[in-house]
Structure formats: C-alpha cells, structure tokens
Amino acid sequence: MTYGGDDGRRRRPPRPPQPAARPRQHQRAQMMPLPGTSSSPYDDTRTRPMRGEAPVPPPAPPRQAPPDVPPQGPYPRRRRRWSFGKVLMTLILIFVLFLGGIWAYLEFSIKRVDALSDYDGRPAAASGTNWLIVGSDSRDGLSADDEERLATGDVAAAGGGQRTDTIMIAHLPDNDTKPTLLSLPRDSEVKIPGHGTSKINAAFSIGGPSLLVKTVEGATGLHIDHYAEIGFGGFANVVDAIGGVDMCVPKDMNDTMTGIDIKAGCQTLDGRDALGFVRMRHSSATPRSDLDRVANQRMFIGALVKQIASPGTLLNPFDFFPLLSAAPDALTMDTGDHVHNLAGLAIAMRGISSDGVLTGTVPVTSGSAEHWDKAKSAALFDALKNDTTVDPADVVK
C-alpha cells in the first residue's frame, strides 16, 4: 500500500506523539572523606546513595583532647587555689600536732616516783605553788668509766646510799611578786620524822623522796605541791645534749677533792665541768663551802634554763632533739605531776639571770650552815605562804 500526494510521490506515515522528555538529572558530587577520618572510602559502613536521594554525610570523628591535657568530664575542673589563710591554718595545725607529739612523748617517758602524800599534820596549801627540786648523787646508769670521767667520787667514801647535793624550793606566786628560788643547805640540822634530828640530806638517804618531802614541809611549814629530781648522769647528759652551757666564771676553780679545774672567764662548760662547778666546795674559790656551792648552783640553773629556752636551742634540731632524748632519763617527777607543770616552772625560772627571780639561801647562824636563823627564816617562810614580798635581808646570797 502506497501513499501519494498530489505530486504522486511516496510519503511516510506520520510518527505517533512521543511523551514529554524528563528533565535531565545531574548526579550530585560526593565529597571524599578527609584523610585520617575513615579507613577507606569503600568500607562497608558507607552506603552509596540511590539516584535521586541526598547522600548521607559521614559521622563526625570523636573530638580528641590535646595530648598534654588529660581528658575531662563534661564540666572542666577548677584548679584549687591555696589562699594565705588556708596555708596559715595548715602550718598552725602542723605546729600544734608537733607540740602535742612532744608533750605525749615526755608525759609517758619521764620517770615517776610517789613523793607527795597526805599525812597527819601536813601543812595546808597556801598561796602560790611550791616545787621541791632535788639534785641527787645517784650514780644509776653510770658505768665505771662514766664515774671516772665525771669525777663523781666513790659511793662508799660519800657515806653510802643516795644523798642530795642540792635541795631547793621554787616558789611561784599567784600575784605579781617575784618568784623565789631558795636553797636549803644540805648540812642543815632539822627534825626527820621518825628519825630524830639530823642533817637534812640524810632524810633522802633514809627514806627517799617521800621522807625528804615530809622533812622539808615540817622544817619550813610550806606545802610542797610538786617534786623534781635529777641525778649526776642525767644532769651531765642534758648539758652535753645542748652543746654545753655558757658561763662566766669569776675565779679559777680547782677542787682538791675531785680534781676538777675550771679557769676564770666566759666559757662553755660541758657536762663534766658543769657537774664539777655545781658540786665544788673544796676550793679557794668557794671559801664559804656549802654556801658558795649553793650560790653557784642557782647561778648555773639560771644559765641552763635560759639556754634551753633560747631560740638557738629550740629551733636547732641538733640541740633540740638530743635534749628531748636526754630529758626523760635525767628527770624524775611525782606521780601526780605533768609536763605542763614542769613547763610552768621553766617559764618562771627564766628570770634568774635577769633578776626576775629572787634567789638566796635560807638564813643561817654561821658559815657551817648547820643551823637556821629562827626569826629570819620564820619571816621568810611566812612571806612565801602569803605571796608577799620577801625581804632580801632575810636570805643569804
């Protein structure tokens, strides 16, 4: 079958209508992941977007902290700052704990003895506080070499037993009067309860600290509140622990009995020479014998307490810790006494070297110091009982 036109030529049949063409869609470009954020652009965790769908962006990598900064929580920590007040309180707390440790160490290390006890006729407590301070000739703990080095002498030659080279009463008033440090000569003739009349130092040899306290209370009428005792070895060890004690010796001192030789002048006395200084009475420098000896004892105690309480000792660990080590073995106190009582005594006695403490010996009738002046000694003890001013004329310097 043919189709013709007017011109008689063959023509093709017309094409059927075609549907409208879709607008051409361009494929969106897919960004390649940054280096280091994914192991591969083709790993299985990615899904190729279908045609016509928006590509799913890759998950963001976890945020990493700088290598020098430790990871933190959701809220950064605030750095704690120490204020001046906190630092000061911390230092105070450390200091208080340090003092508490020292107190506990001394409280449980110092030797104790039952020296004070009640009995019928005991003097009643009056004004102020009274200490009985005893320096005994005890050689406990000393080897034969120590006894020779310290020139302590022979026990048998000294009469055997324990005796007291030093007997002192320290009175601490309750008012503003001066404290008093009073020596009782060891050869003083007094009544010893249950043993008649004898030298006062014999009471210690017969009945120990308890009988000595009773003897002193009976002779003076004073109520003894505290007791402290130190022996030969302990005394020398304390002196050596602080590197010696500075003293100005007015005259050459050569004891013919012990062989101790101390030259005049300002010097540092070690334990051996210090013990010889407080015991010396057989020398041209001690013409009054026991009266000069007790005066030297008070002088030395003043220098010793002053040096112990000085910053040079308390702040120097090479002096302070040896002193702490030597003190418990050197000292003996009553069972009812405590370290704070001893501290009160030390504070009061610091004034010996600066005339803040009245020092002297109970008035006697002769240089032998065997008998007390009854009138003057009674006035002296009454003043101590009542915390009134002591007349310097009532004591022997």
Side-chain angles (χ1 to χ4, degrees):
M1 183 171 181
T2 61
Y3 294 89
D6 293 340
D7 57 3
R9 293 183 294 183
R10 183 178 291 179
R11 297 180 178 179
R12 287 182 182 181
R15 289 182 179 181
Q18 297 293 328
R22 290 183 182 180
R24 187 174 181 179
Q25 294 181 352
H26 297 280
Q27 183 175 357
R28 296 182 180 181
Q30 187 172 8
M31 296 182 66
M32 296 295 290
L34 296 174
T37 59
S38 175
S39 61
S40 172
Y42 303 105
D43 64 13
D44 296 336
T45 60
R46 294 184 177 276
T47 303
R48 191 180 188 86
M50 297 180 65
R51 177 175 291 183
E53 294 181 357
V56 179
R63 185 175 181 180
Q64 297 181 355
D68 294 337
V69 180
Q72 298 180 345
Y75 301 101
R77 286 186 183 179
R78 297 181 62 184
R79 180 174 294 179
R80 181 177 297 176
R81 295 183 178 180
W82 286 81
S83 65
F84 175 76
K86 289 182 179 180
V87 173
L88 181 61
M89 289 301 297
T90 301
L91 294 177
I92 292 176
L93 179 60
I94 293 174
F95 182 69
V96 171
L97 292 176
F98 177 69
L99 291 182
I102 293 175
W103 183 91
Y105 165 72
L106 294 176
E107 184 71 21
F108 295 104
S109 300
I110 293 176
K111 294 178 289 186
R112 310 283 176 163
V113 65
D114 190 10
L116 306 176
S117 60
D118 288 328
Y119 55 89
D120 291 339
R122 186 183 185 190
S127 300
T129 301
N130 297 313
W131 279 82
L132 182 62
I133 302 173
V134 174
S136 75
D137 62 0
S138 172
R139 295 161 175 80
D140 290 344
L142 295 180
S143 64
D145 290 340
D146 291 334
E147 291 184 9
E148 183 177 357
R149 176 178 62 88
L150 298 176
T152 60
D154 184 68
V155 177
Q162 292 187 12
R163 293 180 180 267
T164 51
D165 273 6
T166 304
I167 305 174
M168 295 182 181
I169 295 176
H171 176 78
L172 315 183
D174 292 332
N175 52 28
D176 58 355
T177 58
K178 287 184 179 182
T180 301
L181 184 62
L182 184 69
S183 298
L184 307 182
R186 71 173 198 168
D187 291 336
S188 301
E189 293 284 342
V190 297
K191 292 182 179 179
I192 299 177
H195 299 276
T197 300
S198 185
K199 295 181 179 181
I200 194 171
N201 69 339
F204 189 83
S205 179
I206 295 170
S210 179
L211 184 58
L212 178 62
V213 170
K214 289 182 181 180
T215 301
V216 171
E217 288 184 330
T220 63
L222 298 173
H223 180 95
I224 301 300
D225 303 287
H226 304 285
Y227 177 85
E229 175 190 332
I230 187 169
F232 278 176
F235 177 85
N237 288 339
V238 167
V239 173
D240 287 334
I242 61 175
V245 175
D246 298 332
M247 288 285 298
C248 289
V249 180
K251 299 179 181 179
D252 288 346
M253 303 179 71
N254 187 355
D255 194 323
T256 58
M257 295 291 292
T258 63
I260 296 290
D261 188 12
I262 302 174
K263 299 300 182 182
C266 295
Q267 57 196 288
T268 300
L269 300 182
D270 62 9
R272 178 181 183 275
D273 287 342
L275 184 60
F277 179 81
V278 298
R279 296 183 64 210
M280 191 175 299
R281 62 172 178 168
H282 302 285
S283 168
S284 60
T286 55
R288 299 186 304 166
S289 187
D290 205 34
L291 292 179
D292 284 327
R293 175 165 67 173
V294 294
N296 288 338
Q297 290 171 355
R298 295 191 300 269
M299 184 190 310
F300 185 86
I301 288 177
L304 176 64
V305 172
K306 180 181 178 181
Q307 190 154 329
I308 289 177
S310 69
T313 298
L314 298 179
L315 300 180
N316 184 355
F318 297 101
D319 287 342
F320 182 72
F321 289 106
L323 175 62
L324 285 182
S325 177
D329 293 332
L331 189 64
T332 301
M333 295 197 304
D334 180 68
T335 53
D337 292 333
H338 301 284
V339 174
H340 64 269
N341 302 126
L342 191 64
L345 173 66
I347 292 172
M349 292 296 107
R350 286 186 308 170
I352 294 178
S353 57
S354 60
D355 293 330
V357 177
L358 176 66
T359 63
T361 303
V362 64
V364 293
T365 58
S366 66
S368 64
E370 293 180 350
H371 302 287
W372 297 353
D373 185 304
K374 293 184 178 179
K376 290 184 177 181
S377 61
L380 170 63
F381 298 138
D382 284 341
L384 297 180
K385 286 180 187 177
N386 300 312
D387 270 356
T388 56
T389 302
V390 175
D391 187 349
D394 289 337
V395 296
V396 177
K397 290 294 186 180

